[in-house]
Short mmCIF file of all heavy atoms in Angstrom, two decimals:
data_model
loop_
_atom_site.label_atom_id
_atom_site.label_comp_id
_atom_site.label_asym_id
_atom_site.label_seq_id
_atom_site.Cartn_x
_atom_site.Cartn_y
_atom_site.Cartn_z
N ALA A 17 106.19 74.48 79.95
CA ALA A 17 107.47 74.27 79.29
C ALA A 17 107.65 72.83 78.88
O ALA A 17 108.16 72.54 77.79
CB ALA A 17 108.63 74.69 80.23
N LYS A 28 109.41 63.24 75.27
CA LYS A 28 108.40 62.75 76.21
C LYS A 28 108.78 63.15 77.63
O LYS A 28 109.94 63.43 77.94
CB LYS A 28 108.24 61.23 76.10
CG LYS A 28 109.47 60.49 76.52
CD LYS A 28 109.26 58.98 76.44
CE LYS A 28 110.58 58.35 76.87
NZ LYS A 28 110.54 57.06 77.31
N PHE A 55 112.54 65.55 81.12
CA PHE A 55 112.17 65.63 79.71
C PHE A 55 113.22 64.84 78.94
O PHE A 55 114.44 65.05 79.15
CB PHE A 55 112.14 67.06 79.20
CG PHE A 55 112.04 67.13 77.71
CD1 PHE A 55 110.86 66.91 77.04
CD2 PHE A 55 113.18 67.38 76.94
CE1 PHE A 55 110.80 66.94 75.67
CE2 PHE A 55 113.13 67.41 75.58
CZ PHE A 55 111.93 67.18 74.94
N THR A 72 115.93 82.42 94.46
CA THR A 72 116.40 83.65 93.90
C THR A 72 117.45 83.44 92.80
O THR A 72 118.03 84.38 92.32
CB THR A 72 117.02 84.53 95.00
OG1 THR A 72 118.09 83.83 95.61
CG2 THR A 72 115.99 84.93 96.03
N LEU A 80 124.27 66.63 89.24
CA LEU A 80 125.33 65.65 89.04
C LEU A 80 124.94 64.37 89.71
O LEU A 80 124.74 64.31 90.93
CB LEU A 80 126.65 66.21 89.66
CG LEU A 80 127.90 65.36 89.49
CD1 LEU A 80 128.18 65.07 88.01
CD2 LEU A 80 129.07 66.05 90.14
N MET A 90 133.33 64.73 98.92
CA MET A 90 134.50 65.52 98.64
C MET A 90 134.18 66.69 97.72
O MET A 90 134.54 67.84 97.96
CB MET A 90 135.59 64.65 97.95
CG MET A 90 136.84 65.43 97.58
SD MET A 90 137.93 64.46 96.52
CE MET A 90 136.99 64.45 94.98
N GLU A 106 122.12 64.32 102.59
CA GLU A 106 121.33 63.44 103.44
C GLU A 106 120.55 62.48 102.58
O GLU A 106 120.36 62.67 101.38
CB GLU A 106 120.36 64.27 104.31
CG GLU A 106 119.40 65.12 103.56
CD GLU A 106 118.55 66.04 104.43
OE1 GLU A 106 119.01 66.43 105.54
OE2 GLU A 106 117.42 66.36 104.01
N THR A 108 117.25 60.82 101.14
CA THR A 108 116.00 61.46 100.80
C THR A 108 114.88 60.43 100.60
O THR A 108 115.14 59.23 100.47
CB THR A 108 116.13 62.23 99.46
OG1 THR A 108 116.46 61.29 98.44
CG2 THR A 108 117.20 63.29 99.57
N PHE A 109 113.64 60.92 100.55
CA PHE A 109 112.51 60.05 100.36
C PHE A 109 112.46 59.41 98.95
O PHE A 109 111.80 58.45 98.72
CB PHE A 109 111.20 60.77 100.66
CG PHE A 109 110.85 61.87 99.70
CD1 PHE A 109 110.10 61.59 98.54
CD2 PHE A 109 111.19 63.20 99.97
CE1 PHE A 109 109.77 62.62 97.68
CE2 PHE A 109 110.85 64.20 99.09
CZ PHE A 109 110.14 63.92 97.95
N SER A 130 123.44 57.32 94.24
CA SER A 130 122.60 56.13 94.42
C SER A 130 123.36 55.02 95.15
O SER A 130 122.78 54.02 95.50
CB SER A 130 122.12 55.62 93.08
OG SER A 130 123.24 55.35 92.22
#
Side-chain angles (χ1 to χ4, degrees):
K28 64 178 179 158
F55 168 78
T72 59
L80 183 57
M90 178 192 71
E106 59 187 28
T108 63
F109 68 88
S130 57

